[in-house]
Amino acid sequence: MQDLSTADLNLINQSNFNFEPILVMLIFFLAFIFLVFLILRIMRKYLTGTRYFKHKVFLVKLPKEKPEDDKKDFSVQQLIEEIAKGETIFASIGGLKAQRGFNHWLFGRDDHFSFEIVALSNKIAFYVITPEKDARYIEQQIHANYPEAVIDEVEDYNIFKPDSQVMAAYLKTKRDFIFPIKTYKEMGTDPMNSLINVLSKLDKDESLVIQYVVRSAFGSWHKRIRKVVENINKSGSISIGIKMTNPGAQFLKSLGLVFDYFAPSKKPDASPKEIKKLTVVEEEMVKHIEEKNAKAGLNVNIRIISCTKSKEKASIYLDNLSNSFSEYSNFSYGNVLVRLNTKKQALDKQISDFIYRRFNESHSFLLNTEELTSLFHFPLKSTETPNILWLTSKIAPAPADVPTEGIMLGTNVYRGVKKEIRIKRQDRRRHTYLVGKSGTGKSVTLNNMAIQDIQNGEGVCVIDPNGDLIQDILDRIPPERAEDVIIFSPADTERPLGLNLLDYDPAYPEQKGFVINEMIGIFDKLYDLKATGGPMFEQYMRNAMMLVMDDIESGSTLMEISKVLADENFRRLKISKCKNQTVVDFWTKEAEKAGGEAALANMVPYITSKLTAFISNDMMRPIIGQQKSSFNMRDVMDKQKILLIDLPKGLIGEMNAYLLGMILVGKILMASLSRTDIKPEDRKDFYLYIDEFQNFTTNSICQILSEARKYALNLIIAHQYIGQLTKNNNTEIKDAIFGNVGTMISFKVGSDDAAFLIKDFAPTFNEYDLVNIEKGMSCIKLLVDNSSTRPFTLKGIWPLLGTKHPQMAERIKALSRLKYGQNSKLVEAEIKRRAV
């Protein structure tokens, strides 16, 4: 070996001297990089753990009723097709671009969604929580696959109570994410049944929640699975194929520090027998791995929260729920879901992550859309688990041509779009009909309509058999309309308003016959004269009324009917003043001559017994005993006044309420028919509201429905069930309503009524919808430009429209009493004077 020169040695020494500082600097540099990444990691953990997830909470409800052609049990194929609807929603999330960049790496991603099944207050509800920016997108995706779903943005729910004990846990797949769990396509039944059954068995103050927080995964997972399958096929070993795709193994292999497991296939001396082959089970496993890779993937957190009064019970519920996920375990060639041991992690942190829907990457795992749909989907129509919060009835959109003018009936909310529903003036002339059970919202709708009419300066009459409707309207009457108000309240015995049942306008002689026929119809309805009185009562009653009404000066009220029958001298006086020879002949040739006074005396008690209940009543007598009515109905209509008729049955009695109500309805009809002396274009609309209208109408309502619209009398009538319209198999009133009414509104009704009404509301709604519609909601068939629209859903207006003026209401009452009422003592004195 040749000797080194002194210069060469000096160069080597110099080289050795300079190498050590460089090595030290390299170590310090690596340490610095490590420290920076450690600090960033700590910062990221802190920032992502405290970052608020700006979100919207949606409650999703689906109808329970199956379509008519699907009443039978679901086949397996139908079940799979129904569940697969939910997979499209997750596919749309998986198709979103995953957030990238340093900002999202440091502060955490906020593009995750939460799907939650909540058992609270004995109800199982399905919630979807979305980022604010993606809320509309998810709504559209849900509606695209579940057209009948109702998605309501709601306030966040709260399962926690001050004295409750809370337990929480995470679930995660045990093996590598490439192995699939069992899905709904392999089960043949709805896999969520067992989960929901656990949620349905809670006491009132207990709650359970399953929370699935999901987000789109980076596409690199597809590449890894393809590489795993490739390595498995090359090596003939699943374990080797997986190990060689681990990030650590890939890094070491790139440095040449890992043996090449694929070498045997390349050795020239290797025989085919030396290459390991996959077993049948392993081949099936590889097939399922490839199938998982064919669909979009999502990163998932699964949390379960239990809240009860005792820690032991909360733990039991948590165990039962986590054990129910074992049905997804794919033991043969897949993965299993296990409950993580999180005892070391603070419970407060788990609860905080649950409340704020944070995505915890340390407990994250990957599922494809099929797997995730198996774990969460909206309830199927075939699901029989109790306590699920179903959509009670279908929600249908309003047609595009609904009016933008007229009074507002309510709103239609469909897929987040709110539309005001109004009805035009000309369409109201074809009348409005409301039907529904007590407490479903009919009175609220009547109230809002009447208040709007009053505010618009219209003429209005409201007949209220309960009293609440009148009070609500009084509280909202504008001060400028105080002078227009007439309050007819029989319960006010100090200053009663007069209502002469036999009163008519002599300028319209035809009204006399109308009044008599109406009175006969009223007593027929009150006492069922066809069954108890026959033609004899009608003959004597009709002629008695005609005799009394022919001379107004000597008295022509209901009080005189009994007197003309029982008092011969008074009858003689009336006969002497009667100008109707037919009536005179009846009393002189038939009633008196047929059997004399003795025979007439036998007939009198039978007739007067029907009147005594009213004329001997201390409350009714001052009302019906006044010769002159306190207000003229034609004047009320033409001058667009506000007539509020307060007939609370509990205070004045049913018979009294019905009698007065029917008389007033008859007088309104009579006044409207007298408008023939006004040109049609000059007739001002008058709106008659009648709650429980079947109690206040005779067959004359048929004439109102068919003819009164010509005279601008517009009815808004409401009652509880259709059976109220039929008496003794007489369907005349029912036929008149459903043959003439323009706008029909159905609130919640009974099954019999639904079977009848479905003829008008099909095919948009079925019987199930009409029976189960929620309180305050209704199905409406609106008349628009004299043509019926397709039925749709109407949501009532609450709270009531208009500004309340409680003090003004009391002043209006006082003003009406002074203007139209009479002192009861003076009225009684006048009645006694006429009785002498």
Side-chain angles (χ1 to χ4, degrees), residues 786-811:
N786 208 32
S787 298
S788 292
T789 62
R790 172 180 47 79
F792 58 93
T793 311
L794 179 71
K795 183 178 182 180
I797 305 170
W798 186 260
L800 295 173
L801 295 171
T803 304
K804 292 187 71 172
H805 307 281
Q807 294 181 346
M808 180 58 66
E810 294 303 318
R811 294 173 184 172

Side-chain angles (χ1 to χ4, degrees), residues 734-798:
K734 183 175 80 171
D735 296 340
I737 289 173
F738 290 99
N740 291 284
V741 165
T743 295
M744 193 177 302
I745 306 176
S746 174
F747 294 82
K748 185 174 184 178
V749 297
S751 55
D752 291 341
D753 289 349
F756 181 83
L757 292 169
I758 197 61
K759 301 170 188 175
D760 289 289
F761 289 93
T764 305
F765 299 104
N766 56 31
E767 294 179 29
Y768 183 89
D769 297 322
L770 299 180
V771 169
N772 293 284
I773 194 165
E774 294 179 359
K775 179 181 177 180
M777 300 287 291
S778 60
C779 304
I780 180 172
K781 190 175 182 182
L782 181 67
L783 195 71
V784 178
D785 296 330
N786 208 32
S787 298
S788 292
T789 62
R790 172 180 47 79
F792 58 93
T793 311
L794 179 71
K795 183 178 182 180
I797 305 170
W798 186 260

Side-chain angles (χ1 to χ4, degrees), residues 718-736:
H719 70 126
Q720 295 181 13
Y721 58 94
I722 296 173
Q724 295 171 320
L725 306 180
T726 303
K727 186 176 181 181
N728 299 328
N729 295 322
N730 184 350
T731 63
E732 188 175 355
I733 294 178
K734 183 175 80 171
D735 296 340

Side-chain angles (χ1 to χ4, degrees), residues 454 458 460 470 473-488 497 631 636 639-645 808-809 811-821:
I454 291 170
E458 305 286 358
V460 173
I470 295 293
I473 293 172
L474 270 174
D475 287 341
R476 292 167 174 80
I477 292 179
E480 61 271 16
R481 297 217 63 188
E483 290 281 352
D484 296 334
V485 179
I486 304 171
I487 303 173
F488 182 82
L497 272 67
F631 51 90
V636 170
K639 294 184 179 179
Q640 295 181 298
K641 294 187 177 181
I642 303 166
L643 177 58
L644 304 179
I645 303 172
M808 180 58 66
R811 294 173 184 172
I812 291 173
K813 286 181 182 180
L815 180 62
S816 175
R817 292 176 79 238
L818 291 173
K819 286 179 65 175
Y820 301 99

Side-chain angles (χ1 to χ4, degrees), residues 130-412:
T130 76
E132 287 184 349
K133 58 184 177 61
D134 294 317
R136 186 62 177 165
Y137 173 72
I138 289 299
E139 275 192 88
Q140 293 170 342
Q141 294 302 317
I142 295 174
H143 276 139
N145 296 280
Y146 299 92
E148 296 178 354
V150 170
I151 307 173
D152 293 323
E153 185 177 351
V154 297
E155 294 293 328
D156 209 345
Y157 61 87
N158 180 17
I159 66 169
F160 304 108
K161 293 180 172 58
D163 58 343
S164 60
Q165 298 294 321
V166 181
M167 296 288 288
Y170 277 93
L171 295 178
K172 192 175 182 180
T173 50
K174 186 176 182 179
R175 304 180 67 184
D176 194 293
F177 78 84
I178 68 169
F179 294 104
I181 61 172
K182 189 180 292 185
T183 68
Y184 65 92
K185 292 185 178 179
E186 304 168 71
M187 295 185 183
T189 59
D190 185 357
M192 273 180 52
N193 282 342
S194 59
L195 300 179
I196 298 178
N197 280 332
V198 175
L199 299 177
S200 68
K201 303 181 184 300
L202 305 181
D203 293 334
K204 184 177 181 180
D205 296 327
E206 299 172 339
S207 55
L208 267 175
V209 180
I210 310 174
Q211 186 182 74
Y212 304 88
V213 184
V214 305
R215 69 185 188 189
S216 59
F218 293 119
S220 56
W221 75 277
H222 288 291
K223 182 178 179 181
R224 185 183 171 216
I225 288 186
R226 288 195 297 269
K227 192 65 176 177
V228 166
V229 173
E230 179 184 343
N231 290 346
I232 290 173
N233 290 330
K234 287 182 179 181
S235 66
S237 170
I238 290 178
S239 60
I240 292 176
I242 294 173
K243 288 178 181 177
M244 290 306 299
T245 57
N246 286 335
Q250 291 292 323
F251 176 72
L252 294 174
K253 185 181 177 183
S254 66
L255 298 177
L257 300 178
V258 178
F259 291 108
D260 192 347
Y261 289 96
F262 313 132
S265 62
K266 300 179 181 178
K267 291 180 181 179
D269 57 343
S271 63
K273 293 182 180 180
E274 295 179 7
I275 301 175
K276 184 180 177 182
K277 291 185 178 180
L278 298 175
T279 65
V280 175
V281 173
E282 289 175 329
E283 288 179 350
E284 191 70 22
M285 188 182 298
V286 173
K287 176 184 174 183
H288 280 76
I289 291 173
E290 289 179 313
E291 289 175 351
K292 178 169 184 173
N293 198 36
K295 298 189 176 183
L298 299 102
N299 298 127
V300 182
N301 280 168
I302 300 180
R303 300 184 182 102
I304 51 178
I305 309 292
S306 174
C307 185
T308 66
K309 289 185 176 180
S310 69
K311 192 172 183 179
E312 292 76 14
K313 204 168 186 181
S315 180
I316 291 172
Y317 284 147
L318 207 65
D319 290 340
N320 292 342
L321 192 54
S322 58
N323 291 336
S324 298
F325 281 88
S326 62
E327 66 173 331
Y328 297 98
S329 297
N330 198 336
F331 297 104
S332 298
Y333 39 77
N335 222 326
V336 296
L337 286 166
V338 294
R339 178 177 167 182
L340 297 181
N341 183 9
T342 55
K343 292 182 180 179
K344 294 181 180 180
Q345 185 179 17
L347 181 62
D348 290 346
K349 178 64 168 61
Q350 295 184 55
I351 296 173
S352 177
D353 288 346
F354 159 73
I355 293 172
Y356 293 102
R357 279 94 180 184
R358 297 192 184 103
F359 193 92
N360 189 324
E361 294 193 6
S362 62
H363 297 313
S364 171
F365 61 101
L366 188 139
L367 296 174
N368 74 358
T369 55
E370 184 179 321
E371 294 171 304
L372 188 53
T373 305
S374 304
L375 292 167
F376 178 94
H377 53 263
F378 297 118
L380 309 182
K381 294 176 181 179
S382 59
T383 302
E384 299 300 333
T385 305
N387 303 332
I388 292 178
L389 190 61
W390 295 101
L391 177 64
T392 53
S393 65
K394 187 187 302 179
I395 303 297
D401 61 344
V402 292
T404 56
E405 60 182 274
I407 66 166
M408 189 164 70
L409 300 177
T411 57
N412 174 262

Side-chain angles (χ1 to χ4, degrees), residues 673-690:
L673 295 178
S674 70
R675 290 174 130 186
T676 51
D677 59 355
I678 303 177
K679 294 180 180 180
E681 59 272 17
D682 295 332
R683 295 168 190 164
K684 297 178 180 178
D685 285 292
F686 189 80
Y687 299 95
L688 173 58
Y689 293 83
I690 314 177

Side-chain angles (χ1 to χ4, degrees), residues 643-660:
L643 177 58
L644 304 179
I645 303 172
D646 190 8
L647 303 175
K649 295 180 287 186
L651 291 178
I652 68 175
E654 283 191 355
M655 291 286 283
N656 296 332
Y658 296 161
L659 173 69
L660 294 173

